[in-house]
Amino acid sequence: MMKTTTLQGPYVFISYPRFEEVFVKRLAQDLAARDLQVWRDETNIAPGSPDWEAAIRDAICNAYAVVLIASPKVTKSLYIKGELSLAKRYRPNCIYPIWIGGTEWTDCVPIDFINTQYIDMRGEKYTSEFNTLVYILRKAIEQSSLNTDAPKASIPESPVAGPGSQLSVLHLIRQPAFGYSIRAFQIFLDDQKVGVIHNKESCTLEVQAGHHSIFLRIDWVTTPPLTFDIAPGENVTFLCQAQLMSQYIKLWRQ
């Protein structure tokens, strides 16, 4: 018997082909472990519901984000195309494709999503890129304009180091610029991707005291790595910005 649940608070809607059920179950469990609720038809529509289509429409309308599971099976699914049409209507700026299978991105999404930025979670990339997805979804919750009386999922406050604290904190501020204005920079700390940063945004990362390196990347463009030392309880700030009239990005320490 299929187990169904009713969600309380913000949730992300997952649009996926039935053939990817195993991956979606794993993803839903991992997101739940990070206190991120997931809505999918398999677990959130009760058997015998008189109008499952209306339930899906309502779920997409009230979700703070929609995650598209991209694989070669997607292009053959009329239901996914319908869900994406609704997502573009209700959540046009909060659709996040994740690529889980196939060798060519263009063969794994509908035509109107070919140029959309995506998270590559194929194979061994799952573990590192899952953290990127979590970061993006938490930012989506913060920016959500949902008006609901249901309790919101708690968002951890950004850590701030202070005197006597063993916590070290890295702040990254992206200054406004026209170049890449709608694209996110990927953040790499000690050669590991730890998140993304969008235009006019800032982010805060908790780090171990010691010697580190940081660089940013978007497509084929990468900033030169900057090395720095950070003491226990210290706050370090870096700034970044797309360069006007060029395809380069700049990263420097404040």
Side-chain angles (χ1 to χ4, degrees), residues 80-146:
I80 289 180
K81 292 178 182 178
E83 290 172 355
L84 292 177
S85 294
L86 291 172
K88 287 191 292 184
R89 176 182 177 185
Y90 295 117
R91 291 287 173 263
N93 299 318
C94 298
I95 304 174
Y96 305 108
I98 60 175
W99 190 13
I100 71 166
T103 57
E104 294 292 334
W105 169 249
T106 54
D107 295 333
C108 298
V109 289
I111 291 176
D112 52 344
F113 277 82
I114 287 178
N115 294 321
T116 303
Q117 189 175 3
Y118 58 85
I119 303 174
D120 189 350
M121 295 179 68
R122 293 175 296 166
E124 297 179 353
K125 299 177 183 178
Y126 179 94
T127 301
S128 61
E129 297 305 307
F130 174 74
N131 292 327
T132 301
L133 177 62
V134 169
Y135 175 84
I136 290 173
L137 292 180
R138 291 198 182 282
K139 293 297 292 183
I141 293 177
E142 292 176 359
Q143 298 170 0
S144 174
S145 59
L146 289 177

Side-chain angles (χ1 to χ4, degrees), residues 18 78 224 229-230 240:
R18 279 285 174 265
L78 293 178
D229 293 292
I230 188 168
C240 62

Side-chain angles (χ1 to χ4, degrees), residues 14-230:
I14 297 187
S15 180
Y16 66 99
R18 279 285 174 265
F19 296 98
E20 307 297 357
E21 181 74 25
V22 173
F23 177 92
V24 171
K25 286 182 177 179
R26 175 191 179 188
L27 179 65
Q29 291 172 353
D30 290 344
L31 289 174
R34 297 290 191 92
D35 296 322
L36 293 167
Q37 295 192 102
V38 167
W39 196 103
R40 59 190 185 94
D41 54 2
E42 186 70 18
T43 55
N44 296 107
I45 298 181
S49 295
D51 194 343
W52 61 268
E53 182 177 312
I56 290 178
R57 285 176 176 271
D58 183 68
I60 294 174
C61 177
N62 291 291
Y64 67 83
V66 173
V67 168
L68 167 64
I69 305 300
S71 76
K73 305 292 192 305
V74 165
T75 57
K76 301 176 182 179
S77 173
L78 293 178
Y79 288 107
I80 289 180
K81 292 178 182 178
E83 290 172 355
L84 292 177
S85 294
L86 291 172
K88 287 191 292 184
R89 176 182 177 185
Y90 295 117
R91 291 287 173 263
N93 299 318
C94 298
I95 304 174
Y96 305 108
I98 60 175
W99 190 13
I100 71 166
T103 57
E104 294 292 334
W105 169 249
T106 54
D107 295 333
C108 298
V109 289
I111 291 176
D112 52 344
F113 277 82
I114 287 178
N115 294 321
T116 303
Q117 189 175 3
Y118 58 85
I119 303 174
D120 189 350
M121 295 179 68
R122 293 175 296 166
E124 297 179 353
K125 299 177 183 178
Y126 179 94
T127 301
S128 61
E129 297 305 307
F130 174 74
N131 292 327
T132 301
L133 177 62
V134 169
Y135 175 84
I136 290 173
L137 292 180
R138 291 198 182 282
K139 293 297 292 183
I141 293 177
E142 292 176 359
Q143 298 170 0
S144 174
S145 59
L146 289 177
N147 183 17
T148 176
D149 293 329
K152 299 286 186 178
S154 59
I155 307 298
E157 293 184 359
S158 298
V160 178
S165 171
Q166 295 302 305
L167 184 67
S168 299
V169 174
L170 184 152
H171 302 282
L172 181 62
I173 301 171
R174 180 170 169 180
Q175 297 188 332
F178 180 76
Y180 296 121
S181 61
I182 62 173
R183 302 285 304 281
F185 297 162
Q186 301 175 60
I187 307 168
F188 288 82
L189 185 66
D190 300 327
D191 295 321
Q192 297 294 318
K193 185 176 176 181
V194 295
V196 298
I197 186 168
H198 293 267
N199 196 33
K200 302 179 183 180
E201 289 189 350
S202 62
C203 70
T204 301
L205 302 171
E206 179 181 343
V207 298
Q208 296 290 329
H211 186 74
H212 298 279
S213 66
I214 183 174
F215 67 88
L216 305 178
R217 175 180 295 162
I218 181 169
D219 297 331
W220 63 88
V221 179
T222 301
T223 65
L226 298 181
T227 58
F228 64 97
D229 293 292
I230 188 168

